[in-house]
Amino acid sequence: MSDGVVMMGPPATALASKIATEELAVELLERARAEGVGLVGPGGLLAGLTKRVLEAGLEAELTEHVGYEPYDPAGHHSGNSRNGVRSKTVITDIGPVQIDVPRDRAGTFEPVIVPKRQRRLGGVDQMVLSLSAKGLTHGEISAHLEEIYETKVSKETITRITDSVIETMAEWQNRPLEAVYPVVFVDAIFVKIREGQVANRPIYVAVGVTVDGERDILGLWAGEGGEGAKYWHHVLTEVRNRGAGDVCILVCDGLTGLPDAVAAVWPQAIVQTCIVHLLRNSFRYASRKDWPSLAKDLKPIYTAPTEAAALERLADFAGRWEARYPAIVKLWENAWAEFVPFLSFDPEVRAVIYTTDEIVNPCRVACGVASGRRGLRRRVLVVRRLLVLGLVAV
């Protein structure tokens, strides 16, 4: 300290900046109240601030483009100069804002903050996509924006916004994959889709676990009719052709013919039946009142420490239940080859590979949104909503 001057370090400077910002905000709010100006809506405080910020940014862009500041004599005979402004209204998160966009005489100025012919700022598009992902129709979205933000956005514009993710979806669907996936989960999710008439359509989902232990949705495919091993062969072949040359363990729901499809694509892959699907299929053959007892007697089989122990416990189960439910015993015997692989692993690994549900459920929830009230959509919309919800990363 010298001559009465206090030297401010970084913390003090940051605190002073924070206080100045808070004081400015309070002053702006007080002035807005005194002048009867609302906070949001057309003519509101936030709209005015947004207008000033956007116009200041556009002026800065034009200054950089023409190479001189406003009213600077250096601009005379420079070959390009400012040429007034053009007014346009843009739709923002806080409603419509009218701004003055500066122009140049050569007509070569291409603003970045608010590009030419753009009437919506990015936040509005994200809002539309979010509302669409929640199951609102385009008419409902349009009405919502007009009611809340006093902004008119036509249904046609909303369609263009939601369709804009299709190109991104195609890029994601065809992206290169990792060379090796220790575990891949596959399952089909059925959703109701209207194509002339309402029908169930399968959405095939493949999810891989990378060598770093991260989940990677490999793709989503819209099929026809029921789930089929032939279509799964097409899906798995596409996954291999995109770079996934090796899969160690593939977990599936036990669909007939699927192990053969896996063997044709990855001959060395171990096929593991989803235990939850196996239990669920078992209960279909039994009376509901017997479900608790069946669940209790089946648990020792899939929690056995070894395959030999599991066989003994299956024999115990058959001794008690085969007379009443022979189909359940036969189901487990037929699925045994694809059931036992996970018994070779430690409990920590078993917890990862025993079911497809924990991996596929987020996609199932998203597709449930797509098939809900007023939500019957084209198949592409189901996949698109998964993108919008962020369940798949581009």
Side-chain angles (χ1 to χ4, degrees):
M1 184 180 354
S2 63
D3 298 329
V5 177
V6 178
M7 303 299 293
M8 298 178 64
T13 302
L15 179 59
S17 175
K18 179 181 178 181
I19 293 173
T21 303
E22 292 175 349
E23 290 177 347
L24 176 60
V26 172
E27 180 183 351
L28 287 171
L29 286 172
E30 289 177 349
R31 289 181 59 181
R33 291 194 188 100
E35 297 175 13
V37 176
L39 182 61
V40 296
L45 174 61
L46 292 181
L49 290 173
T50 302
K51 172 182 171 69
R52 293 290 183 88
V53 170
L54 292 176
E55 290 178 350
L58 290 168
E59 280 291 349
E61 286 188 31
L62 182 58
T63 295
E64 182 178 354
H65 179 71
V66 298
Y68 66 92
E69 297 289 340
Y71 311 112
D72 189 335
H76 296 325
H77 310 296
S78 63
N80 195 9
S81 59
R82 285 173 164 78
N83 188 29
V85 297
R86 172 178 55 85
S87 295
K88 83 178 202 180
T89 300
V90 293
I91 300 173
T92 71
D93 294 350
I94 59 172
V97 176
Q98 186 175 19
I99 60 174
D100 293 329
V101 181
R103 302 182 296 182
D104 64 331
R105 290 195 179 277
T108 56
F109 176 48
E110 296 287 343
V112 176
I113 295 178
V114 184
K116 289 182 178 179
R117 294 174 292 279
Q118 180 170 321
R119 295 283 178 176
R120 303 182 311 275
L121 299 189
V124 176
D125 287 11
Q126 293 302 316
M127 189 185 309
V128 169
L129 293 173
S130 176
L131 291 172
S132 178
K134 288 178 172 61
L136 272 69
T137 67
H138 291 181
E140 290 170 335
I141 295 172
S142 178
H144 173 79
L145 293 175
E146 184 171 3
E147 178 182 355
I148 302 300
Y149 300 99
E150 300 182 16
T151 299
K152 282 194 173 184
V153 180
S154 68
K155 290 189 286 186
E156 291 75 17
T157 298
I158 293 171
T159 298
R160 285 196 296 271
I161 293 172
T162 55
D163 285 347
S164 66
V165 299
I166 292 180
E167 183 178 349
T168 301
M169 179 183 71
E171 292 175 358
W172 170 82
Q173 186 75 9
N174 294 293
R175 76 196 189 283
L177 299 176
E178 300 284 337
V180 178
Y181 286 93
V183 184
V184 168
F185 301 84
V186 298
D187 202 356
I189 304 164
F190 285 86
V191 297
K192 293 185 182 298
I193 298 173
R194 176 177 295 157
E195 290 181 330
Q197 60 182 5
V198 177
N200 284 328
R201 293 289 185 268
I203 302 296
Y204 293 80
V205 184
V207 179
V209 177
T210 69
V211 293
D212 296 323
E214 297 179 352
R215 185 180 67 182
D216 182 13
I217 297 184
L218 308 182
L220 301 156
W221 297 262
E224 298 284 347
E227 180 183 7
K230 183 177 180 180
Y231 195 89
W232 270 121
H233 183 269
H234 159 74
V235 167
L236 300 179
T237 301
E238 180 181 322
V239 170
R240 182 193 61 191
N241 291 343
R242 286 165 53 200
D246 195 11
V247 169
C248 299
I249 302 173
L250 187 138
V251 185
C252 61
D253 61 2
L255 178 70
T256 302
L258 185 50
D260 294 333
V262 176
V265 179
W266 297 295
Q268 302 301 317
I270 298 173
V271 178
Q272 171 65 52
T273 292
C274 170
I275 306 304
V276 172
H277 277 82
L278 195 54
L279 292 171
R280 192 178 298 149
N281 292 337
S282 299
F283 294 149
R284 289 176 180 170
Y285 293 107
S287 170
R288 183 179 291 271
K289 68 178 182 179
D290 290 329
W291 285 7
S293 298
L294 284 168
K296 181 180 178 181
D297 290 344
L298 285 170
K299 186 174 181 180
I301 301 175
Y302 60 85
T303 58
T306 63
E307 180 180 354
L311 275 171
E312 292 179 3
R313 293 167 187 179
L314 177 62
D316 294 340
F317 177 85
R320 179 176 180 184
W321 292 101
E322 188 171 19
R324 186 180 304 179
Y325 299 122
I328 297 179
V329 177
K330 186 174 181 61
L331 173 70
W332 281 78
E333 291 175 345
N334 291 340
W336 196 256
E338 287 76 39
F339 157 71
V340 295
F342 93 123
L343 295 177
S344 304
F345 297 98
D346 293 336
E348 294 81 6
V349 178
R350 293 188 188 187
V352 174
I353 65 174
Y354 84 103
T355 179
T356 62
D357 283 5
E358 292 301 320
I359 297 294
V360 179
N361 269 347
C363 298
R364 191 184 306 276
V365 170
C367 289
V369 171
S371 61
R373 183 185 67 89
R374 303 185 188 177
L376 300 175
R377 293 290 190 268
R378 294 175 290 121
R379 279 168 290 172
V380 67
L381 182 55
V382 175
V383 182
R384 182 170 65 194
R385 281 190 173 158
L386 294 170
L387 283 166
V388 170
L389 287 168
L391 294 174
V392 290
V394 179

